[in-house]
Amino acid sequence: MYCDPYLDHGKCFLLQDDQGEIQGYILCAESYASFKEYIQEYFEEIKKVAPSFVLRCDISEYEAYQKEYPAHLHVDILEDCCGKGSGTLLMHTLLDALKEHVPGIMVGVAKNNQRAFNFYQKMGFEILVEAEYGYILGQKL
C-alpha cells in the first residue's frame, strides 16, 4: 500500500531472478515537496482501509532535510534474495540514475530493523536524526 505513490510518480527498478520472477524493488520519489503533495491522497485511502497504520501516514519529519536530500526511497527484497548483493545492485542502479540531477536522498529506518540500518550505512548513508521510532538517514549524491 505504500508502493503506489512511488510507482505513479517516481522511479522504480525491479530485481528479477533467473526465471524472470520479481524478487524485490527499489522505488524513489525525486522531490520530497512533490511527494508530500501527492501522497496525501494515498494516506487518506490507507486511513480508511487500514486504520492501524494511521501513525505511518505522516512524513513531516522528512521536511527539515528536503533541500539537501530531496529524493526519498523505499526498498523491499524477498528474504531468499537478501545477503547476496541484490540490495547493493538495486541501490547503485538508483543512485546512478539520480546523481546527475538530485543532490541527495533520504530514507527512514525503524530502530528494530538493524539489518536495513546496517545496509544503508554500508551504502554510505549517514544518520540525519534519531527519532523515537528510528532514524532518518541521508546520502549526498
Side-chain angles (χ1 to χ4, degrees):
M1 74 181 148
Y2 288 100
C3 295
D4 285 353
Y6 294 96
L7 292 173
D8 290 345
H9 302 281
K11 290 195 178 302
C12 174
F13 296 98
L14 301 174
L15 175 67
Q16 293 181 319
D17 64 14
D18 293 338
Q19 290 74 42
E21 297 292 320
I22 303 300
Q23 302 297 312
Y25 57 81
I26 192 165
L27 310 169
C28 177
E30 294 182 38
S31 164
Y32 169 83
S34 296
F35 185 69
K36 181 181 173 187
E37 291 298 316
Y38 61 74
I39 192 125
Q40 297 310 313
E41 174 186 334
Y42 296 94
F43 282 162
E44 293 308 314
E45 191 62 31
I46 290 168
K47 290 174 187 177
K48 289 180 203 169
V49 299
S52 62
F53 283 80
V54 72
L55 294 176
R56 296 174 118 187
C57 292
D58 178 13
I59 60 169
S60 61
E61 67 269 11
Y62 297 105
E63 195 144 340
Y65 309 101
Q66 69 176 313
K67 287 188 177 148
E68 290 184 83
Y69 308 93
H72 182 270
L73 76 93
H74 178 74
V75 62
D76 277 310
I77 299 173
L78 293 177
E79 188 66 33
D80 290 347
C81 289
C82 290
K84 300 176 183 175
S86 300
T88 301
L89 176 65
L90 281 173
M91 186 65 74
H92 282 302
T93 301
L94 175 64
L95 297 178
D96 287 346
L98 295 175
K99 67 183 174 186
E100 296 299 320
H101 61 282
V102 176
I105 188 166
M106 62 181 153
V107 65
V109 181
K111 283 189 177 177
N112 64 356
N113 194 348
Q114 192 64 45
R115 186 177 194 174
F117 180 80
N118 292 343
F119 168 73
Y120 289 121
Q121 285 203 305
K122 179 185 101 174
M123 294 302 305
F125 284 74
E126 298 178 354
I127 297 172
L128 301 177
V129 68
E130 181 175 351
E132 183 179 327
Y133 73 93
Y135 306 93
I136 296 176
L137 306 175
Q139 182 180 133
K140 299 262 179 139
L141 302 176

